[in-house]
């Protein structure tokens, strides 16, 4: 299998500046000692911590920093927004796009996601595009349709060459921050569906090379069983990424 294994930590709106730097300073050497495993670790701190943390990871093997969001615009009068090229110039290599909290609380659509992905790619960032169904959509049995639509609206305008620089995260909304994890089999079913979508809309090559992460209450206890599934290439971790030991254990679980 030639796709990258990734464990990403989404810090969300947690940790003030000093706390964030000290968490990163703890995580970096711990993850670095696991670097021989080849797993890529990505930290997604709040914007204001990003440049300082990027300086800490500079020159380290397999550790990266990203933004939790970026603007759908290039530059200009968009108060409060941060552009993809600003993230890049501050030392980020990745950016989350379409996280369910952005969709739920800020009304972001998959079409917005497509614009952000285009900005990210143009700035040389790797977008991590998040998709996932709500509890009602899962119970109603519509999850495949919902996820296919999110993929279609977010990714279908991209070329095959651009898709080589995109990571996908499947995060069922009902599993985020709730302690309810999708079972490895439930997650695998959706990951295989996403890979099938990539095969149909792009190519077998794109399907085989795209890393697809699972997110939603991943912790040190459940990570290995999830990562053992054929189409799960790693995790996007929220709560457990705020503890250096837990995060490192999850990185280790993705060997
Ligand atoms: P959680 O969050 O691990 O706390 O469920 C995951 C995410 O929202 O990316």
């Amino acid at each position: 299998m030639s796709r990258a294994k990734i464990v990403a930590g989404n810090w969300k709106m947690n940790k003030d500046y000093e706390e964030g730097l000290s968490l990163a300073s703890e995580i970096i050497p711990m993850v670095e000692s696991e670097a021989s495993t080849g797993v890529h670790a990505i930290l997604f701190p709040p914007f204001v911590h990003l440049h300082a943390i990027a300086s800490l990871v500079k020159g380290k093997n397999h550790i990266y920093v990203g933004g939790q969001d970026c603007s759908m615009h290039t530059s200009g009068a968009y108060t409060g927004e941060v552009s993809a090229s600003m993230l890049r110039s501050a030392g980020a290599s990745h950016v989350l796009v379409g996280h369910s909290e952005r969709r739920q609380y800020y009304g972001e659509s998959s079409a917005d996601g497509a614009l952000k992905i285009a900005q990210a790619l143009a700035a040389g960032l790797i977008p991590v595009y998040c998709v996932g169904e709500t509890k009602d959509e899962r119970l109603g049995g519509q999850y495949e349709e919902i996820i296919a639509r999110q993929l279609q609206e977010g990714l279908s305008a991209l070329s095959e060459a651009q898709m080589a620089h995109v990571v996908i995260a499947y995060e069922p909304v009902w599993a985020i921050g709730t302690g309810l994890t999708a079972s490895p089999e439930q997650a695998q079913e959706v990951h295989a569906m996403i890979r099938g979508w990539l095969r149909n809309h792009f190519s077998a090559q794109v399907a085989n090379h795209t890393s697809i992460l699972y997110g939603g209450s991943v912790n040190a206890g459940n990570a290995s069983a999830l990562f053992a599934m054929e189409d799960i290439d790693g995790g996007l971790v929220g709560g457990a990424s705020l503890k250096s030991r837990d995060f490192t254990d999850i990185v280790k679980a993705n060997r």
Side-chain angles (χ1 to χ4, degrees):
M1 184 178 75
S2 53
R3 45 187 186 260
K5 291 184 168 201
I6 298 171
V7 172
N10 175 10
W11 294 8
K12 309 192 180 184
M13 198 172 72
N14 293 297
K15 304 288 177 190
D16 67 20
Y17 186 73
E18 293 302 330
E19 292 167 346
L21 255 62
S22 91
L23 176 60
S25 314
E26 279 172 33
I27 288 175
I28 292 163
M30 289 165 82
V31 167
E32 234 197 337
S33 66
E34 300 300 322
S36 56
T37 59
V39 178
H40 296 205
I42 315 169
L43 307 180
F44 289 100
F47 288 140
V48 287
H49 309 12
L50 210 142
H51 181 250
I53 296 177
S55 309
L56 296 176
V57 307
K58 203 168 180 182
K60 310 276 189 223
N61 262 336
H62 296 322
I63 310 182
Y64 306 91
V65 179
Q68 294 175 15
D69 185 28
C70 69
S71 176
M72 63 179 94
H73 304 288
T74 308
S75 67
Y78 300 103
T79 301
E81 289 286 272
V82 173
S83 73
S85 65
M86 288 171 190
L87 292 176
R88 185 81 182 111
S89 69
S93 50
H94 294 71
V95 63
L96 296 179
V97 173
H99 189 278
S100 65
E101 286 150 16
R102 303 292 320 168
R103 293 177 187 265
Q104 199 176 341
Y105 306 136
Y106 303 97
E108 282 193 18
S109 65
S110 298
D112 297 335
L115 296 173
K116 293 181 177 200
I117 289 168
Q119 290 290 338
L121 291 170
L125 294 174
I126 295 181
V128 178
Y129 181 54
C130 306
V131 298
E133 80 285 3
T134 63
K135 189 173 172 199
D136 285 348
E137 289 161 350
R138 159 112 350 215
L139 293 175
Q142 304 144 278
Y143 56 99
E144 293 205 359
E145 188 190 316
I146 295 290
I147 293 160
R149 195 182 314 146
Q150 291 170 336
L151 293 170
Q152 177 72 28
E153 292 174 3
L155 302 176
S156 59
L158 300 177
S159 66
E160 253 193 77
Q162 287 176 311
M163 269 310 295
H165 303 285
V166 175
V167 171
I168 296 173
Y170 167 54
E171 296 205 307
V173 179
W174 49 271
I176 295 179
T178 56
L180 291 175
T181 320
S183 67
E185 294 72 22
Q186 279 175 321
Q188 166 59 26
E189 183 201 17
V190 175
H191 281 235
M193 190 277 274
I194 294 172
R195 213 174 290 291
W197 186 91
L198 291 171
R199 197 173 297 114
N200 291 337
H201 287 75
F202 293 98
S203 63
Q205 164 100 346
V206 166
N208 290 336
H209 284 79
T210 303
S211 297
I212 308 176
L213 314 183
Y214 168 78
S217 299
V218 175
N219 59 42
N222 60 26
S224 321
L226 287 159
F227 299 164
M229 303 310 285
E230 190 183 342
D231 290 297
I232 303 183
D233 306 308
L236 178 54
V237 187
S241 74
L242 298 171
K243 294 194 184 116
S244 52
R245 169 54 57 203
D246 290 12
F247 184 70
T248 311
D249 285 347
I250 298 169
V251 172
K252 280 192 217 167
N254 200 14
R255 288 212 168 112

